[in-house]
Amino acid sequence: MRNWLVLLCPCVLGAALHLWLRLRSPPPARASGAGRAGAGYSVKSFEVFGPWITFVRVLKDQLALLPQWKSRHYDVVVGVLSARNNHELRNVIRSTWLKHLVQHPALSQRVLVKFIIGAHGCEVPVEDREDPYSCKLLNITNPVLNQEIEAFSLLEDTSSGLSEDRVVSVSFRVLYPIVITSLGVFYDASDVGFQRNITVKLYQAEQESFEGTIVWESQDLQGLVSRNLHKVTVNDGGGVLRVITAGEGALPHEFMEGVEGVAGGFIYTIQEGDALLKNLHSRPRRLLDHISNLHEEDALLEEESSLYDDIVFVDVVDTYRNVPAKLLNFYKWTVETTSFDLLLKTDDDCYIDLEAVFNRIALKNLDGPNFWWGNFRLNWAVDRTGKWQELEYPSPAYPAFACGSGYVISRDIVHWLAGNSGRLKTYQGEDVSMGIWMAAIGPKRYQDSLWLCEKTCETGMLSSPQYSPQELTQLWKLKELCGDPCRCEARGG
Ligand SMILES: *[C@@H]1O[C@H](CO)[C@@H](O)[C@H](O)[C@H]1NC(C)=O
Ligand SMILES: *[C@@H]1O[C@H](CO)[C@@H](O)[C@H](O)[C@H]1NC(C)=O
């Protein structure tokens, strides 16, 4: 039998805690998209559209298999990471630095430029995703409304009793706004009343998509009445919250202390129930519309691809978390279909000066095996929450990684990455993933601050990130006019 002691305010907390999840915050604009393999994404709930989706996929797959010429040799292969809907950025690139390159008598023969795009769009509309970076369905069904919910219940066979652990904590993610009205502790029924001091703390780890941690801490020498997470039932109210367990080798959550488990629980109610019901009601319609939009997008992309012949569709769902996988797939494609010396990776929102890149390669004799040329971030702290949330790299800092606006690697490294692509674990972003992969083989690093990490303009820069299509056009205009994208004083412009 389980016993609950509810610590009503003001025992510990002083006030009910209102936890909000800002569900519909749009993904911050980093046009390249980027991201990690969305584990466990399933399309089960859309079975009604199944045959149709398959049809679209088959078209796409065939497209990806179109015959490729292999015999040409290139000095440099340029891979431009691009999200499916970034038509405008791609077109600006086609009319600026890429156009210049194609028309350049010498360079055009030496460089191959390809946009890297996920062959599959995410089949879940943005507003129905758990977060804007992955393709995971926010799967709320039959929400428990207008009543208090006890977050954890103990399975019957677990007898109570003190454990050894004096500090116990659990982390959870809130997927829809809830209000936590009380926190509580389990206590031993054989005790005469409850005569201990135990603190229960609730931490909020994140603003944007709420992640909370509850820590129970005994104030005396005795252990807590606690349970392993496998021995409790989580009452998720129909899917509004999810307990996060530390996976094998994963980082503990920011505020986790002591042993993972529960030594009590919390009571909550679901907020904005009417809005939730309305949202769930309109979901089927939304999914249908979304699938039809995806179909249109597929058709547009096919058209674009056959018109310009500069897109590589990689067999990946095009989300932010999947960008490292996009990159690995592109390396594989490059190795399988082309002969080349160097590979340059950049994003579709970057200004890039390929002529300057070539000049520098010649000037600095940048070739030879096992090298990596870029602007490196050193001792960059690992983020545990937010867009760059990293829970799988168990270290406080990343190994050196090049800024994503542009870097160059030698052929042997591309071959190594392609050859191991099936085994390489993908982390939170493509830049840090690359750093982690490279740490294993220790390439020669050429540090060069002309690959800019931030959106600034410097005369002589090789690349600079995060521009809008209009800004890119403008930079290139100045570059054409005066040879310098940053200023054009010479001609009074
Ligand atoms: C959604 O949740 C329900 C009930 O928990 C489950 O049966 C179903 O498989 C889930 N669907 C997806 C796509 O995760
Ligand atoms: C609980 O803490 C208070 C204040 O620190 C103390 O006065 C009290 O004796 C403690 N109670 C028990 C049962 O330890």
Side-chain angles (χ1 to χ4, degrees), residues 166-193:
R166 292 182 53 243
V167 183
V168 170
S169 56
V170 64
S171 286
F172 55 97
R173 174 177 283 198
V174 177
L175 304 169
Y176 194 83
I178 63 172
V179 173
I180 293 185
T181 52
S182 28
L183 299 174
V185 298
F186 297 139
Y187 72 103
D188 198 331
S190 59
D191 271 359
V192 272

Side-chain angles (χ1 to χ4, degrees), residues 259-286:
V259 174
E260 183 180 86
V262 294
F266 61 91
I267 293 175
Y268 68 97
T269 55
I270 298 176
Q271 287 300 102
E272 301 173 22
D274 292 341
L276 180 56
L277 289 181
K278 227 170 120 187
N279 182 287
L280 292 180
H281 184 73
S282 57
R283 188 160 74 181
R285 180 74 240 168
R286 205 159 48 239

Side-chain angles (χ1 to χ4, degrees), residues 195-197 220:
Q195 296 186 346
R196 293 179 63 187
N197 284 338
D220 52 40

Side-chain angles (χ1 to χ4, degrees), residues 42 44-45 137 139 141:
S42 142
K44 263 190 199 125
S45 58
L137 175 70
N139 190 13
T141 34

